[in-house]
Amino acid sequence: MKDPELTILIKELETRSDLSVGDLDGVAHGLTFLFSDRESLADLSAQDVSGAEQALHIADVAFPNWSVNIHGRANEKDGHWRCSLRESDARDNDAVIGIGSSPVLSQAILAATMRLAMSLQPD
């Protein structure tokens, strides 16, 4: 996968609330590509990325000991969720922060995780 494909996946995570199994499978493949060095994130499937608990687990495995901050408002139809991944909550000078937003909580977490992984990749 290339950065433009990953950027499209992140955009879909952040703008759509009705991702199909095929769309989630694409996200799973993108995460597997980004974290090819993490054996526990190998061969992810659509089911592995479909819920908030699964998304938090992926963020935890991908960035152990990083802070996950979730802010949002649950509405009847869609929530308005923001997720940030930071090295530490104790200071305000992180070199890189992963940020994602979406009407679906799990998708905001996955977008932040993917965006942070892309930012940390060597050029």
Side-chain angles (χ1 to χ4, degrees):
M1 284 192 145
K2 298 180 180 168
D3 282 352
E5 293 170 303
L6 294 169
T7 301
I8 290 169
L9 288 173
I10 292 170
K11 183 177 180 182
E12 287 184 0
L13 284 169
E14 292 188 318
T15 58
R16 294 182 47 204
S17 60
D18 59 345
L19 294 179
S20 68
V21 173
D23 296 328
L24 291 173
D25 195 47
V27 171
H29 287 298
L31 287 163
T32 298
F33 171 78
L34 285 168
F35 299 105
S36 59
D37 61 332
R38 304 277 189 343
E39 191 173 313
S40 58
L41 295 180
D43 300 323
L44 292 172
S45 68
Q47 185 175 356
D48 296 327
V49 300
S50 63
E53 188 172 331
Q54 293 94 328
L56 279 171
H57 175 72
I58 290 167
D60 181 50
V61 170
F63 300 105
N65 298 319
W66 283 54
S67 296
V68 178
N69 296 299
I70 299 170
H71 302 279
R73 182 181 318 182
N75 291 335
E76 285 183 28
K77 183 174 178 179
D78 291 321
H80 298 279
W81 301 101
R82 289 184 323 272
C83 176
S84 63
L85 298 170
R86 304 177 60 126
E87 255 187 295
S88 172
D89 275 340
R91 54 192 158 93
D92 221 10
N93 62 347
D94 293 311
V96 180
I97 299 173
I99 298 173
S101 61
S102 178
V104 179
L105 176 56
S106 61
Q107 292 174 203
I109 297 166
L110 293 171
T113 303
M114 292 178 79
R115 189 168 278 128
L116 179 57
M118 289 175 62
S119 296
L120 293 173
Q121 283 185 337
D123 290 333

